[in-house]
Amino acid sequence: MKWTFFHKLGSPRWFYDIAGRHCAWLMMLSVVLLCIGTIWGLVFAPEDYQQGNSFRIIYLHVPTAILAQSCYMMMATAALTGLVWKMKIADMFIAAAAPLGAAFTFLALFTGAVWGKPTWGTWWVWDARLTAMLVLLFLYLGVMALRSAIEYSDMREKSTAILVLVGVINIPIIKYSVEWWNTLHQPATFTLTEKPAMPPEMWVPLLVMVIGSYLFFTSLVFQGVRNEILQREARKSWVKKLLATEGSTSD
Amino acid sequence: LSTLQTFFEMGGHGLYIWLCYGVGGIIFLLLGVSPMLARRRVIKQVKQLHRRLALASAIPSDVNEKE
């Protein structure tokens, strides 16, 4: 086992450099992919024979919904890692990811509601999938509220991690809600094991959007963690040297 | 021009689609800009702290003790 990698990952200084090297191109690539995917989905993808054009909301709805859930799983993994190995980076990751997760969950709910109006005839129903997503939004907001209510301390790290871990129960509920209960919401659009039930002209732009959103998220998390590192390591000599030498430039 | 109009109408679903993409675009834009603004703010704060620390260490210790 290469434990050196694991130890490096826990080192804020190492992560600061690596993330700084990659956040810019990740952001650029994600913007390109998101633009391509949006234009492809809005202009070139064929109309759905049942839903007409309103299905085009899928290109925003599905990536944000996937990301909303996988962001939470990443936070939970970080929370566990932080509790077990006392990695400072884990808590910084949660700090950076929670607002992003909240934004993506909100967007998934919003686009879902707007899609629901022409498709189901209603903005909102208290259906299992929708309710569980709303709970996810509240979990993200709860994590953010908890963090802002407590000063930086070991206790805040621990209580955040525990809250995140308790909330994990919601993720399988979201995922399997469309199978366990009769819901208005349709089953998953993408699965890893099966071919999508749409023609490639429809799902390829969707895949582009999903990948673009992941890269966007990664770049934002990298930048967010870098900001957290600067704040928390402010008294360390490497931060002093860094800010002194790099002067007023933004990097 | 009429093809452009039919494109924006989206077969009667235009309002829903453009509402989604409008709000989505705004949120993505805000998300994209906020870490850069946060970075500026953080650097300013940390530099302030460094100046304070440098100032504190520059003051002779006996002056500190008298205060």
Side-chain angles (χ1 to χ4, degrees):
Chain A
M1 277 293 270
K2 289 236 169 152
W3 284 105
T4 47
F5 171 75
F6 199 64
H7 285 299
K8 269 186 187 166
L9 191 64
S11 148
R13 186 180 180 177
W14 179 84
F15 189 89
Y16 185 89
D17 287 340
I18 289 292
R21 228 172 288 164
H22 295 295
C23 61
W25 72 262
L26 279 169
M27 179 55 79
M28 280 188 269
L29 184 60
S30 79
V31 169
V32 170
L33 287 178
L34 289 173
C35 287
I36 291 174
T38 306
I39 293 169
W40 195 343
L42 285 177
V43 185
F44 300 110
E47 216 173 281
D48 186 82
Y49 77 101
Q50 273 183 325
Q51 299 182 13
N53 276 311
S54 70
F55 104 95
R56 293 181 199 280
I57 293 172
I58 201 179
Y59 298 111
L60 200 52
H61 179 73
V62 169
T64 49
I66 290 178
L67 212 53
Q69 294 166 69
S70 69
C71 172
Y72 200 89
M73 287 314 292
M74 290 184 236
M75 275 169 55
T77 313
L80 194 66
T81 322
L83 280 180
V84 176
W85 287 287
K86 311 263 174 265
M87 265 192 185
K88 296 283 170 201
I89 285 281
D91 186 60
M92 299 182 199
F93 174 82
I94 294 175
L100 302 177
F104 286 123
T105 311
F106 169 78
L107 208 50
L109 283 167
F110 180 81
T111 54
V114 178
W115 192 0
K117 188 61 188 161
T119 314
W120 302 335
T122 176
W123 299 101
W124 182 264
V125 278
W126 291 99
D127 147 301
R129 169 61 73 84
L130 277 64
T131 310
M133 276 302 272
L134 192 64
V135 170
L136 182 67
L137 179 62
F138 292 150
L139 276 170
Y140 280 126
L141 296 178
V143 169
M144 288 160 69
L146 178 70
R147 298 188 62 83
S148 65
I150 309 175
E151 280 284 299
Y152 171 60
S153 58
D154 277 359
M155 191 187 76
R156 182 173 82 170
E157 258 175 52
K158 260 187 212 159
S159 43
T160 309
I162 288 165
L163 175 61
V164 170
L165 285 176
V166 169
V168 168
I169 186 71
N170 192 35
I171 295 294
I173 295 178
I174 296 175
K175 184 156 171 43
Y176 295 109
S177 56
V178 286
E179 292 167 28
W180 290 342
W181 296 288
N182 272 321
T183 63
L184 264 181
H185 197 285
Q186 64 201 52
T189 310
F190 272 149
T191 53
L192 285 176
T193 46
E194 285 166 52
K195 275 183 79 174
M198 332 181 226
E201 305 93 273
M202 280 184 175
W203 65 255
V204 173
L206 184 54
L207 191 63
V208 171
M209 287 298 275
V210 171
I211 295 169
S213 305
Y214 265 101
L215 296 181
F216 184 66
F217 172 80
T218 311
S219 175
L220 291 182
V221 163
F222 277 7
Q223 294 179 59
V225 170
R226 266 163 68 90
N227 290 342
E228 288 288 322
I229 290 173
L230 278 187
Q231 263 174 318
R232 291 195 207 174
E233 306 262 289
R235 285 161 190 271
K236 296 272 170 71
S237 61
W238 74 269
V239 173
K240 282 181 189 166
K241 236 179 266 171
L242 184 87
L243 292 192
T245 53
E246 296 195 15
S248 55
T249 56
S250 60
D251 211 49
Chain B
L1 192 79
S2 64
T3 52
L4 207 64
Q5 201 173 358
T6 49
F7 170 69
F8 281 115
E9 278 170 8
M10 288 273 178
H13 288 143
L15 179 67
Y16 303 113
I17 294 173
W18 299 117
L19 184 61
C20 278
Y21 281 89
V23 171
I26 290 168
I27 289 183
F28 270 69
L29 205 68
L30 289 177
L31 285 179
V33 173
S34 67
M36 289 183 245
L37 297 179
R39 182 177 167 83
R40 266 194 209 170
R41 201 178 56 234
V42 167
I43 286 183
K44 209 171 155 189
Q45 276 173 1
V46 173
K47 278 189 173 171
Q48 225 160 31
L49 175 79
H50 290 171
R51 270 198 298 275
R52 252 202 340 264
L53 290 176
L55 214 63
S57 63
I59 297 168
S61 57
D62 59 316
V63 179
N64 269 335
E65 278 159 23
K66 274 180 199 165
E67 288 297 309

